[in-house]
Amino acid sequence: MKFFTGTLLSLMLLSSTSHAEPSQADWSIYGNGLHNQRFSTLEQINRSNVQALTLAWRYETGIKASFQTSPIVLQGVMYFSTPFNHVVALDAVTGKQLWRYEHPLKSKKSCCGPANRGVAVAQGKVFQATIDGHLIALDQTSGTLLWDIQVGDLSLSTQETLGSLLQGASLGQNTKVIGGTSHSFNMAPQVFDDKVIIGSTGAGYGLHLDTDQGLKVVGLGDGRTGLRGFLAAFDVNNGKELWRWYSVSGETWVGDWAETTTDGTPLHRDIAKEQASGERFKDSWKLGGGSIWTTPAVDPDSGWLFVGTGNPAPNMDDSTRPGDNLHTSSLVAIDSKTGQMQWAFQQVPHDRWGYDVSSPPVLFDLEQNGETIRAVGQAGKTGWFYVLNRATGELLFKSEPFVPQQNLFADPTETGVTVAPGIAGGSNWSPVAVNNRAKTAFVAGVHRPATYFRKPLKLDADLPWQTYTYFEFPDKDVFGTLTAINLDNGKIRWQQKTRQPMLGGVLATAGGLVFSGEGDGEFFAMDANNGQKLWSYHAPYGVNAPAITYTVDGKQYIAVAAGGNKLAGYATGDQVLVFALPDKP
């Protein structure tokens, strides 16, 4: 381990206050509270003065790669993770480095690239889940490594190879592998009741290829690749594992052979064909996928965690996984004390399109017929914002589509069928913001249709599969949306179209503002009432991370990482940008 120290922090460490609401001066939790609302009551920066917002300072990490971090700010100190799992602490007013921890990767084998979505800070420790399958705890004041626990066994995963596809696939001369199935960890941890909670990613990632025609993701049921995704809790003091919940199991994997989604949308499945292969592939759940991409929301009253699960494995290709593939592509409630599932709502049974539940769930209250209902919402890759009763998992309603929909749930074909939303969403991993007072959710959307193909392989008696499934992104008709959704009824209040698919997330404030960014480097503020753009700043790299806000000594700041996203084609960089209003003379 390399370890760099600057000025030793002199601050009073926070004691365990898992159930307390965070100070609005700080941004102490990933979602600015256990409910994941990413809303701040700060209003010094507001509609009337945001035009004067200027860059206060910038920090360059020196690591130019996909940068998705959401910083934590506590008592004037900013903590954040970089790509490849280094951690930095800065003076939140000046940007001066206080300490820096450099993580020695135990393995360079990773499903999904070097990005990390943030740290958690609690009880004098900074926690991070790493791409090489570890959970680490650092001393909050110095950055010294306190403990390091191996969570995911990388040896369990067999990554897909080009050799598997050369049984009949035509991929071009310059094709190279850029990702594949393996246990990794990208999410920012959640800390609650003396537990650090993290989830594994990459369980059904699929073979990611850089080809002459651009990005291709391929799924094939070869009987060797795939893992089971899981959510796990660890003792905040020593890293001891307390429980582990797997998103798929043999008891529930097949499900009820659903022909439609819960709300009645046809899935176009060949149920008879699936059932005929049920005995042959009865153990497919053992490699069934169901990654955990999202930082859980927490209801402190019930102690329940609300988390999304990823697509089944193999990704897209369903030839070896008959059944509903429970509980993949689902929104799930888990008891934080025991790790027992309380309910699950499967957005897409037998998913063939890569529709992970990847945007973090958010908790809020609804008023219906004079009754207050505690709800959980989630912006789906399908293009709908789902609202459920968080006590029962009952679907209350889904929003109007916040992106165009075309051929939704169409079965992939040999000649190709174009589907919108495609594998990118809808809404991808981008967190939403919710103003519960205004009953409004703000959602960053992606319109990037995908054409899905299912192709035959050369028949081989030794192979368990006969097809492979992949998608291609058409070059035309690509854009993003930023949408305000009425939480009383799911209607769209307003929507603004953006030049590029939105990837990174949203911040909303009591100053009547919504902050977000684009892959071309524009970071902007909109009027929360109507979506009018009031201010913008152009960074040299994509702004594809969620913004935060905080105050120190009565002065409000807005912070965001500008480091782009390689997979989406957005310019990668290494900057943390912090903005404030000019001091009065």
Side-chain angles (χ1 to χ4, degrees):
M1 181 193 77
K2 294 180 180 177
F3 177 69
F4 300 91
T5 57
T7 304
L8 187 65
L9 304 186
S10 56
L11 61 114
M12 183 181 296
L13 300 182
L14 296 179
S15 61
S16 175
T17 54
S18 298
H19 295 249
E21 284 299 310
S23 164
Q24 286 300 298
D26 294 328
W27 190 284
S28 60
I29 302 175
Y30 178 80
N32 200 32
L34 294 171
H35 287 187
N36 267 354
Q37 291 185 359
R38 301 195 77 87
F39 176 81
S40 172
T41 59
L42 300 180
E43 53 186 349
Q44 184 181 96
I45 300 169
N46 55 56
R47 294 187 193 95
S48 68
N49 60 21
V50 69
Q51 294 87 350
L53 201 64
T54 59
L55 185 68
W57 56 264
R58 72 164 60 86
Y59 176 86
E60 296 180 346
T61 68
I63 304 166
K64 293 186 177 181
S66 298
F67 201 7
Q68 300 174 2
T69 195
S70 178
I72 297 296
V73 176
L74 281 168
Q75 298 180 335
V77 179
M78 177 183 291
Y79 308 87
F80 64 89
S81 58
T82 75
F84 300 104
N85 298 121
H86 310 317
V87 182
V88 181
L90 305 176
D91 185 309
V93 174
T94 66
K96 180 181 178 181
Q97 182 175 298
L98 302 174
W99 56 256
R100 176 167 173 151
Y101 163 84
E102 293 209 350
H103 181 64
L105 288 173
K106 310 298 188 298
S107 170
K108 293 186 177 180
K109 181 181 180 181
S110 171
C111 67
C112 330
N116 182 274
R117 292 174 185 160
V119 300
V121 183
Q123 299 189 30
K125 302 178 185 69
V126 180
F127 301 98
Q128 182 187 211
T130 69
I131 61 174
D132 60 344
H134 287 244
L135 175 64
I136 64 172
L138 308 175
D139 182 89
Q140 184 178 344
T141 55
S142 66
T144 303
L145 181 67
L146 299 176
W147 46 258
D148 181 340
I149 305 298
Q150 182 173 334
V151 179
D153 186 353
L154 299 183
S155 67
L156 292 175
S157 64
T158 300
Q159 283 198 349
E160 302 87 345
T161 66
L162 279 176
S164 302
L165 284 174
L166 296 181
Q167 298 287 333
S170 177
L171 299 169
Q173 295 182 343
N174 300 311
T175 296
K176 63 179 181 179
V177 176
I178 57 174
T181 295
S182 73
H183 270 154
S184 188
F185 298 87
N186 300 85
M187 62 176 276
Q190 185 68 277
V191 177
F192 178 70
D193 266 359
D194 297 329
K195 300 178 183 72
V196 186
I197 299 155
I198 61 172
S200 69
T201 59
Y205 196 58
L207 183 64
H208 281 53
L209 303 174
D210 185 5
T211 75
D212 294 334
Q213 295 80 38
L215 173 68
K216 287 186 180 180
V217 179
V218 183
L220 62 152
D222 66 357
R224 299 178 302 113
T225 60
L227 290 162
R228 290 199 295 161
F230 62 85
L231 187 75
F234 303 84
D235 189 301
V236 74
N237 295 306
N238 54 30
K240 178 184 177 182
E241 185 168 326
L242 302 174
W243 54 255
R244 183 178 296 208
W245 174 81
Y246 285 96
S247 53
V248 300
S249 69
E251 292 78 16
T252 59
W253 174 244
V254 170
D256 297 323
W257 306 97
E259 296 185 5
T260 69
T261 62
T262 299
D263 59 295
T265 307
L267 290 167
H268 309 294
R269 292 170 65 178
D270 189 339
I271 299 292
K273 182 179 179 180
E274 289 180 45
Q275 291 177 335
S277 65
E279 180 62 24
R280 182 183 182 192
F281 299 119
K282 63 182 179 181
D283 291 331
S284 58
W285 64 271
K286 295 179 180 179
L287 302 172
S291 295
I292 309 292
W293 294 98
T294 67
T295 297
V298 184
D299 184 332
D301 295 328
S302 66
W304 289 5
L305 312 169
F306 300 86
V307 68
T309 66
N311 57 263
N315 190 0
M316 299 177 293
D317 193 276
D318 67 336
S319 58
T320 59
R321 50 173 175 85
D324 295 345
N325 311 142
L326 297 178
H327 296 285
T328 63
S329 302
S330 299
L331 181 59
V332 182
I334 306 289
D335 188 332
S336 66
K337 294 181 176 62
T338 64
Q340 296 297 308
M341 188 180 77
Q342 304 303 301
W343 56 255
F345 173 80
Q346 192 171 38
Q347 289 182 9
V348 185
H350 196 73
D351 180 6
R352 286 158 284 163
W353 308 273
Y355 287 151
D356 309 86
V357 178
S358 53
S359 177
V362 58
L363 308 185
F364 49 88
D365 293 338
L366 292 179
E367 298 292 332
Q368 288 191 349
N369 302 318
E371 180 184 0
T372 299
I373 299 176
R374 294 188 170 188
V376 54
Q378 198 275 331
K381 276 192 172 184
T382 57
W384 289 300
F385 186 79
Y386 296 86
V387 178
L388 285 73
N389 184 318
R390 69 177 184 254
T392 65
E394 174 193 3
L395 178 66
L396 300 175
F397 61 85
K398 62 183 186 183
S399 72
E400 295 178 324
F402 54 81
V403 292
Q405 294 174 327
Q406 173 191 359
N407 295 329
L408 198 61
F409 307 133
D411 198 38
T413 66
E414 186 169 350
T415 56
V417 58
T418 299
V419 177
I423 194 169
S427 184
N428 204 279
W429 65 268
S430 307
V432 305
V434 164
N435 183 337
N436 207 26
R437 300 173 187 173
K439 302 300 180 185
T440 303
F442 302 95
V443 179
V446 173
H447 179 62
R448 194 176 189 187
T451 301
Y452 290 83
F453 298 86
R454 179 179 294 128
K455 299 274 192 177
L457 287 162
K458 293 178 182 178
L459 297 183
D460 186 329
D462 294 329
L463 300 178
W465 77 103
Q466 296 181 347
T467 63
Y468 66 100
T469 304
Y470 70 96
F471 73 85
E472 293 179 350
F473 284 133
D475 293 331
K476 60 181 181 180
D477 193 28
V478 174
F479 57 85
T481 60
L482 206 158
T483 307
I485 295 173
N486 187 328
L487 290 179
D488 286 328
N489 53 27
K491 301 291 185 183
I492 291 177
R493 294 188 188 274
W494 56 257
Q495 182 175 88
Q496 294 293 342
K497 187 175 179 179
T498 60
R499 295 177 300 279
Q500 297 172 309
M502 296 289 286
L503 196 62
V506 189
L507 162 69
T509 75
L513 299 172
V514 174
F515 290 88
S516 194
E518 291 214 47
D520 61 7
E522 185 183 19
F523 180 52
F524 57 81
M526 289 181 173
D527 189 320
N529 285 338
N530 54 32
Q532 178 185 355
K533 189 178 292 185
L534 301 177
W535 169 88
S536 68
Y537 173 90
H538 287 271
Y541 313 114
V543 180
N544 301 116
I548 68 160
T549 187
Y550 60 92
T551 61
V552 180
D553 296 331
K555 187 178 181 71
Q556 185 180 357
Y557 299 85
I558 307 289
V560 71
N565 186 285
K566 185 176 181 180
L567 201 61
Y570 299 150
T572 55
D574 64 345
Q575 295 184 344
V576 175
L577 305 173
V578 177
F579 303 87
L581 296 174
D583 292 328
K584 294 181 180 179

